Amino acid sequence: MSRQPEKSLERTSDFLVATTPITAHTLNASKFVAHLVSQGHRVWWWCGADFQSYVRDLGAIPLRMSSACDYSIARAASYVRGSSLSAVARVRRLYHDLIVGRAGAQCHDLLRIIQRIGPQAILSDTLLLGARPAAHLSGVPWATFGDGPLLWSDEDTPPFGAGLKPMAGRAGRHRNRNVQSWIDNRVFGSARAHYNKLCARMGVEPVPNLRMAGLSPRLHLQGCAPSFEYPRSNLPDSVRFVGVLGTTGVRNSASPGSAASRGRGSRPLAFVTQGTVRPDLSELALPATRALVREGYDVLVTAAGRANEWRHEFATSPEGGIVVVDRIDYAEALAAADLLVTNGGYTGVTMALHAGVPVIQCGATEEKADIGARLEWAGVGVAVRRTRAQPRTIRLALGRLLGQVGLQSSLERMSAEFRAHRADELGGRLLENMAKVA
């Protein structure tokens, strides 16, 4: 059943939300949508076929993507695993085919929808690159939300995609400039050229780098607390930190509500997850579970819909309890957990920090190295830069984490800062203000 608005405003607005058909990039708009719906606004949500019922349950109006824009999570996953191509070549192919390659069709779809519904504002995620030209051509105010490391950079900040930590002084600035130039030109250069050709055909200004194609210059809602991002000397006022994202409002009926309590015994509890893009649990979940049980933990594993296939591999040992489930509410699991072990998805990591839970992050694909570097820089976790872990690797990482000086105080400060930022209210009000100005 759809949620009904809690109250109506004298003057409500129509909002158009547009999200990439990847689970996290779609569902992470939920808190903003929930707030807008609760305030009586009408929210139209253009998304993939897999998310239509969720949108309805949240009280928004689903708009179906055309087949030229939609793709499955399996299709997206095929670009980041199971290929003989190098990591750089896989990223190039992903952007050429799915990110930039769909931007023209996205823009066409969105312009048609904008003409029909006349929204006062548009909100998109940073991978939906067709939103920028659609907003420019229609004149509708455009905002973005970030559910990955902040894309804005300067000479004092390590570039996105490099997995580097800050380095002070001239040497650091020299490093940052050179690495950023290499990433912009060698990794994303062909995709940027393709995108700028599309913009030229539409009469839209080109972008100096591909990062700026998905970052609104008017309002960007960054899904974290300020202390989880590197400080920047030239950060514009348009970038606003709003706190942790994730789903809200509608409980996933597939999530076993008692799983976290079943995983909680007399021993500390570790929550282990690989997300939805990498379903081979032998990469991390299985070796991590074996290591953690040996180190005295009970373990709760989420298997992304493949629990039955993998459950026999997680045979419960005499030393501790292991619970394997298909899906679970992350907030529920983290409320009971003492540790998160993950391949490093941004939303899962930020949810752990919101809950004050330390993180062991293992992963080297996508933006994982950037997330791991931020965990170590902030003193709230450790990173292992490999996709496939061994039990010994996890045990060594756990030793590093527990031996980290000031870990608990860093977690407490970070958690308090996250809790002070309510993404639904803060982001929702900023979007409302943008629509009113328009």
Side-chain angles (χ1 to χ4, degrees):
M1 181 179 295
S2 299
R3 291 199 325 171
Q4 298 300 313
E6 296 173 4
K7 63 179 181 178
S8 296
L9 301 179
E10 292 182 4
R11 180 181 181 276
T12 59
S13 300
D14 282 88
F15 290 85
L16 173 59
V17 177
T19 50
T20 305
I22 297 174
T23 304
H25 293 290
T26 295
L27 301 187
N28 279 330
S30 299
K31 290 188 177 181
F32 308 130
V33 171
H35 173 86
L36 295 173
V37 169
S38 75
Q39 297 304 300
H41 300 292
R42 185 161 51 179
V43 181
W44 306 79
W45 194 338
W46 181 76
C47 62
D50 293 341
F51 308 101
Q52 300 285 300
S53 62
Y54 178 83
V55 169
R56 281 190 290 268
D57 287 345
L58 205 58
I61 304 168
L63 298 169
R64 184 78 171 265
M65 286 181 167
S66 67
S67 59
C69 300
D70 203 358
Y71 51 87
S72 67
I73 186 66
R75 177 75 186 277
S78 69
Y79 285 84
V80 297
R81 58 179 172 84
S83 170
S84 61
L85 297 174
S86 68
V88 170
R90 288 198 299 270
V91 170
R92 288 194 187 113
R93 190 172 64 124
L94 169 69
Y95 270 78
H96 181 272
D97 292 357
L98 293 189
I99 309 305
V100 172
R102 307 289 175 118
Q106 292 167 356
C107 181
H108 177 78
D109 260 24
L110 291 173
L111 285 174
R112 176 177 51 81
I113 291 167
I114 290 167
Q115 185 175 24
R116 178 163 66 90
I117 68 175
Q120 281 72 58
I122 302 169
L123 174 67
S124 66
D125 67 272
T126 54
L127 287 185
L128 196 106
L129 303 191
R132 177 179 177 268
H136 177 87
L137 293 170
S138 66
V140 178
W142 169 52
T144 51
F145 68 90
D147 53 1
L150 181 60
L151 298 177
W152 186 272
S153 65
D154 58 30
E155 290 187 341
D156 295 318
T157 308
F160 172 78
L164 298 172
K165 298 175 188 176
M167 177 189 294
R170 293 177 60 186
R173 289 191 291 273
H174 178 74
R175 179 203 68 175
N176 294 339
R177 281 195 302 270
N178 288 342
V179 175
Q180 186 68 77
S181 176
W182 186 89
I183 291 173
D184 285 343
N185 295 308
R186 295 293 297 276
V187 181
F188 296 112
S190 61
R192 179 190 63 210
H194 182 46
Y195 184 77
N196 281 337
K197 286 180 182 178
L198 169 68
C199 291
R201 290 197 300 268
M202 296 179 173
V204 177
E205 288 186 5
V207 292
N209 55 70
L210 204 57
R211 289 171 284 115
M212 304 312 293
L215 196 67
S216 170
R218 183 159 188 168
L219 176 63
H220 176 72
L221 308 174
Q222 181 61 26
C224 72
S227 292
F228 192 54
E229 263 303 333
Y230 300 145
R232 290 161 170 82
S233 59
N234 66 345
L235 194 65
D237 292 338
S238 58
V239 176
R240 304 295 294 269
F241 293 94
V242 297
V244 71
L245 302 182
T247 60
T248 189
V250 179
R251 186 178 178 85
N252 182 348
S253 60
S255 297
S258 61
S261 60
R262 285 192 286 121
R264 165 66 77 183
S266 59
R267 294 146 55 100
L269 177 66
F271 177 36
V272 178
T273 175
Q274 282 185 209
T276 56
V277 175
R278 308 193 71 87
D280 180 2
L281 302 189
S282 67
E283 287 185 353
L284 173 60
L286 188 58
T289 297
R290 289 171 176 167
L292 292 165
V293 167
R294 187 171 176 180
E295 292 296 317
Y297 285 81
D298 289 333
V299 183
L300 171 62
V301 183
T302 179
R306 304 184 71 182
N308 288 336
E309 178 182 347
W310 284 89
R311 191 169 280 115
H312 68 284
E313 298 283 355
F314 291 86
T316 303
S317 71
E319 293 88 359
I322 302 171
V323 175
V324 183
V325 297
D326 275 327
R327 299 175 184 86
I328 192 170
D329 183 278
Y330 268 44
E332 175 187 292
L334 290 166
D338 301 285
L339 172 69
L340 172 67
V341 180
T342 176
N343 67 341
Y346 192 79
T347 303
V349 166
T350 52
M351 290 181 74
L353 300 180
H354 179 273
V357 176
V359 180
I360 295 176
Q361 181 264 334
C362 299
T365 60
E366 303 98 55
E367 77 283 16
K368 302 298 193 296
D370 289 305
I371 297 169
R374 282 161 172 76
L375 281 167
E376 294 196 335
W377 171 78
V380 290
V382 298
V384 178
R385 292 200 179 188
R386 60 183 66 182
T387 299
R388 189 168 289 277
Q390 298 295 324
R392 181 176 181 274
T393 306
I394 302 300
R395 290 197 299 271
L396 290 173
L398 181 62
R400 285 173 52 205
L401 178 70
L402 297 181
Q404 195 168 290
V405 176
L407 173 65
Q408 192 57 41
S409 59
S410 296
L411 285 167
E412 290 172 359
R413 286 195 300 271
M414 185 74 74
S415 176
E417 187 176 356
F418 265 98
R419 292 174 186 276
H421 289 74
R422 287 281 307 270
D424 51 354
E425 294 180 2
L426 180 54
R429 288 170 184 165
L430 289 167
L431 290 167
E432 288 177 304
N433 290 337
M434 186 177 77
K436 288 176 183 176
V437 170

